[in-house]
Amino acid sequence: MAHSLQRLLLVRNIQWTITKQSICVIPALNSSYNKTFVPPNPDPKFYKDDVPAKDDELSQKNIKPAPSDQTYSCFYDHELHRFEKIVLRKGNSVQTRQLIWRTFEEIKCIQLKKYNAADEDEKENIELNPLKIFHQALDNAKPLVDVVSVSKGGASYRVPVSVNPNQQLFFATKSIREELWKGKPKNAAALRLAKELLAAYNNEGGAVKRKLDLHKEAHANRAYANLLHG
Amino acid sequence: MRNVRSMSDFTKHRYENVADLGHASYIENIRCDESDPTNHSMDDVSLMYTIPVEHYKRMSPAKWNNKAFSHRFQRMCSAFGESCLMIRKPGLELVNYLKHTNPEKAVNRYIIHGKTGCGKSMTLQYALHYCMSNNWLILPAYHFWDNVKFNYHTKLKRKGELTVSQFNKDRLDQPVYSLKWLETFGWLNQKLLGEIKTTTKYIWSKHESSEEGTSLSALVDLGKARPRHSTDVIGCIMKEIRLQDHTTMPSVLVAVDCINAAFGKTLMKYDGKPVTTDQLSFMCNFKKILSNDWKNGAVVGALDTLGLRQSETTDLVEGEHPYDLLGREGFDLLDPHILIHVQPYTDQEVLAQLAYYKDCKWLIDRSLTAAGEAEIIQLCGNNPADITNYCAGLY
């Protein structure tokens, strides 16, 4: 079934070929590209400052189009964008957009109140940038290993495996998201998310606890690590 | 040299271009030292002045969910530890009119109009602050839509909201709303109310009455204690204001936000029938004080279009001219009036606003760069409310 579907898709897809080196915004499936195609770098600075030369490595290559949902705004952040798409519910991206703007507002309010109340020596340690807090919180919630269940000889084992950065980001956002949806809400969603992010920024809270639990399980089952390959 | 490796790590790209700062970060003169609106002049336009803490607490008390300022503005004030307003041209114009009021002649009516989010309510608050610092008596009505429609979630509350008036059987009282109004009125004019005395005797019921010469503060306390008579107390206060001269009464400011709500439709029902604004006794009393048959004071009203979209029953409005919003009835009642047009920010004022945000650390690194600043101005288009809303979640 899967093979026939793949064949159908290959026939129906038009194979986009890019003759010039340019930033193309046409969305297309990855399947239509050969292995010779190079992933894009949609950064205006990259194209303006580095002028293409004749002996350039890239002058011989074809380049994939840029992702359709990426913008050239200076406020664009890739990790934040991925976070938005994972928290999304029922395709209501306006709602999630508003949620994230409001959480950043809440974080700014909480940190500014701290900043104004603190002494002058402590003021340097307080982080006011919500984006930096967000990045630090995600980094603290990212796991180093993952655990997968494998059935072998009639019994299932929890086997520790390595993770790539994409999976790390997904696990961190998922654990923050489930903290957000947990239980009966007392406050607004933005305030809850802001508190969770600030807790993760200080290595506390539910999202960090999930990561530590996963690490514990992986450490306990480290004897099964060879089961995947054997 | 460009190679394949440079292309693959585009996900890690983060904006690091802090070297070229925008225009807003080069502005030095941000604040105005003078905190009293009486001493402001045209040289202080586009500067921020701080409202004193005592005045701000009186203007927007934290006890009740007061709508003098927007929710976002109040939250920002609590975060910054101070409350600042920008000095603007229409505000100075209005204050200049109020300075030259003649207490022996009929009141002037000023109507503030303009596009949504240009600062109509803020100019009204600026005028209110001027009057407060000069010991005027203030009759506040913030967010007049609340009087016309109740946004409660349950039906029971809405039913219990209306009662038949004690004074006139054809009219309806709103005890909860009038209690709130008395609280704000008493809070705003704490010092003045003890000195003002009534001229006639008022009888509330068989056993209760207030003699001639009782102070207004005693009347307000009676209204708070007895919700049944609270709407009638408001009527008495307004009657006293209209009767007395400048010898016994300080000059009065009637500050009404969303004035066009008084001439629209209501969302309320009583006995299964829709209620008009003329049936509400609070509205009837307020419409009398909006007319110019009394002396020693001024009426300032700000128009509003946001409430129209929320309500389902009102018809669509063609434009933003006062005649379109007030309708025939409202325009006739307020006929000789002075218009005050509030326009969006000038380019100088936009930069002053952004510079103030930078000074309070509300805006940090990316938004201070030339590219970030250009993006903010491009998206918001000199609209003050859009700038505050957009900068709220910015980094």
Side-chain angles (χ1 to χ4, degrees):
Chain A
M1 184 66 190
H3 283 287
S4 60
L5 261 175
Q6 265 187 9
R7 222 171 282 156
L8 258 173
L9 282 169
L10 272 172
V11 171
R12 287 195 181 180
N13 271 335
I14 306 159
Q15 289 210 347
W16 296 102
T17 49
I18 301 160
T19 49
K20 285 179 184 177
Q21 285 187 9
S22 61
I23 309 162
C24 187
V25 201
I26 302 161
L29 285 170
N30 285 328
S31 59
S32 62
Y33 298 108
N34 296 326
K35 283 182 180 178
T36 55
F37 275 80
V38 174
N41 189 358
D43 176 21
K45 199 184 168 189
F46 179 79
Y47 286 93
K48 277 176 188 170
D49 294 354
D50 302 335
V51 183
K54 276 188 177 178
D55 308 332
D56 212 336
E57 197 183 348
L58 282 175
S59 59
Q60 303 290 326
K61 298 265 181 186
N62 290 325
I63 301 170
K64 282 183 199 172
S68 61
D69 50 359
Q70 177 150 8
T71 59
Y72 293 115
S73 163
C74 77
F75 300 117
Y76 179 81
D77 189 84
H78 187 263
E79 230 169 32
L80 184 69
H81 183 71
R82 292 307 307 151
F83 184 85
E84 240 181 71
K85 292 294 161 193
I86 295 166
V87 173
L88 185 80
R89 252 186 171 184
K90 294 180 183 175
N92 196 347
S93 53
V94 175
Q95 205 180 37
T96 39
R97 190 80 211 129
Q98 276 183 351
L99 175 73
I100 280 160
W101 283 102
R102 279 174 193 161
T103 48
F104 279 4
E105 192 188 346
E106 297 280 355
I107 288 172
K108 275 159 88 174
C109 279
I110 293 166
Q111 295 297 91
L112 260 176
K113 271 180 196 173
K114 260 187 205 170
Y115 182 85
N116 288 329
D119 300 327
E120 288 195 0
D121 305 336
E122 297 170 3
K123 277 186 180 179
E124 292 173 2
N125 299 327
I126 295 167
E127 180 60 62
L128 293 174
N129 195 345
L131 194 69
K132 278 184 183 172
I133 289 169
F134 168 77
H135 281 306
Q136 188 60 45
L138 271 192
D139 287 347
N140 289 345
K142 278 175 185 172
L144 297 170
V145 285
D146 201 356
V147 178
V148 188
S149 65
V150 174
S151 62
K152 206 110 190 179
S156 63
Y157 302 96
R158 303 280 287 167
V159 182
V161 288
S162 62
V163 283
N164 60 21
N166 240 339
Q167 286 169 335
Q168 277 182 333
L169 195 142
F170 183 72
F171 185 88
T173 44
K174 207 178 75 174
S175 52
I176 290 169
R177 184 184 68 178
E178 275 164 26
E179 284 296 314
L180 186 69
W181 293 348
K182 197 175 70 181
K184 253 191 179 180
K186 284 179 184 175
N187 300 319
L191 196 96
R192 277 180 286 147
L193 187 55
K195 279 180 178 172
E196 188 54 44
L197 283 174
L198 280 170
Y201 175 70
N202 298 322
N203 266 323
E204 293 161 3
V208 175
K209 202 194 161 197
R210 269 164 202 265
K211 182 195 82 173
L212 293 175
D213 288 347
L214 194 78
H215 282 189
K216 257 183 204 171
E217 199 184 352
H219 190 256
N221 296 349
R222 65 188 181 280
Y224 305 135
N226 59 345
L227 279 180
L228 262 183
H229 311 291
Chain B
M1 196 70 179
R2 311 184 324 156
N3 49 18
V4 176
R5 195 176 292 168
S6 67
M7 303 292 276
S8 59
D9 60 347
F10 77 95
T11 54
K12 286 178 185 173
H13 165 70
R14 282 169 192 176
Y15 193 85
E16 291 165 358
N17 205 6
V18 191
D20 49 338
L21 288 167
H23 296 288
S25 42
Y26 293 109
I27 294 172
E28 291 171 356
N29 203 8
I30 299 168
R31 288 161 198 275
C32 180
D33 298 330
E34 188 61 52
S35 61
D36 193 3
T38 40
N39 303 330
H40 290 158
S41 63
M42 281 296 282
D43 301 334
D44 304 330
V45 170
S46 82
L47 293 179
M48 311 293 284
Y49 87 101
T50 48
I51 304 170
V53 182
E54 294 174 9
H55 287 197
Y56 181 71
K57 274 185 183 173
R58 266 206 276 164
M59 282 160 90
S60 68
K63 285 179 191 173
W64 318 290
N65 186 18
N66 198 318
K67 286 173 181 174
F69 294 108
S70 65
H71 188 65
R72 180 160 277 147
F73 183 82
Q74 288 178 29
R75 188 193 280 172
M76 270 158 63
C77 284
S78 67
F80 298 161
E82 57 172 10
S83 48
C84 284
L85 279 183
M86 190 186 276
I87 302 160
R88 291 184 70 194
K89 211 177 169 184
L92 288 173
E93 189 189 343
L94 217 170
V95 167
N96 194 33
Y97 284 136
L98 291 175
K99 272 180 194 173
H100 298 105
T101 44
N102 193 349
E104 292 173 1
K105 287 191 175 178
V107 291
N108 277 328
R109 276 85 61 87
Y110 307 99
I111 288 180
I112 305 167
H113 73 111
K115 282 187 177 177
T116 49
C118 283
K120 295 188 287 292
S121 307
M122 285 298 186
T123 44
L124 190 128
Q125 293 300 328
Y126 182 74
L128 197 144
H129 185 215
Y130 160 77
C131 295
M132 183 185 277
S133 49
N134 286 307
N135 293 325
W136 285 42
L137 191 78
I138 296 158
L139 293 188
Y142 313 124
H143 209 268
F144 225 36
W145 296 108
D146 277 7
N147 198 24
V148 172
K149 49 179 185 168
F150 301 115
N151 291 324
Y152 293 121
H153 302 293
T154 51
K155 265 189 174 178
L156 276 171
K157 269 191 176 177
R158 196 184 282 182
K159 272 183 185 172
E161 201 65 47
L162 293 170
T163 50
V164 178
S165 174
Q166 301 289 313
F167 179 68
N168 190 346
K169 296 291 177 192
D170 299 335
R171 285 179 191 165
L172 296 166
D173 278 357
Q174 301 150 285
V176 174
Y177 185 83
S178 44
L179 267 176
K180 266 189 183 178
W181 190 90
L182 280 173
E183 276 174 345
T184 46
F185 176 73
W187 182 260
L188 264 170
N189 314 297
Q190 290 163 354
K191 295 165 189 172
L192 297 170
L193 287 179
E195 299 162 10
I196 304 162
K197 307 283 196 258
T198 53
T199 49
T200 51
K201 188 187 177 184
Y202 293 107
I203 300 163
W204 309 113
S205 62
K206 280 181 184 176
H207 310 292
E208 285 177 306
S209 62
S210 52
E211 297 281 318
E212 184 188 332
T214 51
S215 61
L216 281 193
S217 61
L219 269 186
V220 171
D221 289 341
L222 190 138
K224 279 185 205 171
R226 305 273 293 158
R228 205 180 174 197
H229 304 305
S230 55
T231 317
D232 293 334
V233 167
I234 293 168
C236 292
I237 290 166
M238 289 182 182
K239 194 183 172 188
E240 289 297 327
I241 287 165
R242 278 189 289 126
L243 286 174
Q244 292 187 27
D245 292 337
H246 64 278
T247 51
T248 51
M249 180 80 83
S251 39
V252 182
L253 177 81
V254 183
V256 191
D257 207 348
C258 318
I259 196 172
N260 48 331
F263 310 105
K265 290 174 184 174
T266 61
L267 287 181
M268 293 179 289
K269 278 183 180 179
Y270 190 77
D271 280 346
K273 289 172 189 170
V275 179
T276 58
T277 48
D278 292 330
Q279 266 176 289
L280 300 170
S281 47
F282 179 83
M283 277 296 186
C284 284
N285 289 324
F286 229 96
K287 276 179 187 175
K288 277 176 200 167
I289 214 160
L290 289 178
S291 62
N292 62 347
D293 58 353
W294 56 287
K295 290 166 190 174
N296 186 25
V299 176
V300 182
L303 296 170
D304 184 58
T305 48
L306 285 171
L308 286 174
R309 286 173 212 161
Q310 292 165 13
S311 66
E312 295 153 10
T313 51
T314 44
D315 303 324
L316 285 170
V317 176
E318 289 178 356
E320 284 174 347
H321 191 266
Y323 185 80
D324 297 329
L325 289 169
L326 291 167
R328 178 94 189 209
E329 182 205 348
F331 201 79
D332 285 351
L333 201 144
L334 296 163
D335 188 21
H337 59 250
I338 297 164
L339 283 175
I340 289 163
H341 186 46
V342 183
Q343 283 174 336
Y345 276 161
T346 57
D347 294 345
Q348 188 193 356
E349 284 171 337
V350 172
L351 294 179
Q353 179 81 11
L354 294 177
Y356 172 71
Y357 282 155
K358 191 211 165 189
D359 194 47
C360 291
K361 310 225 170 191
W362 190 245
L363 291 182
I364 329 154
D365 63 28
R366 280 192 199 184
S367 45
L368 297 178
T369 57
E373 193 185 287
E375 202 175 306
I376 293 167
I377 294 166
Q378 174 75 26
L379 280 172
C380 301
N382 292 16
N383 193 321
D386 284 356
I387 288 170
T388 46
N389 293 344
Y390 188 63
C391 288
L394 224 54
Y395 32 83

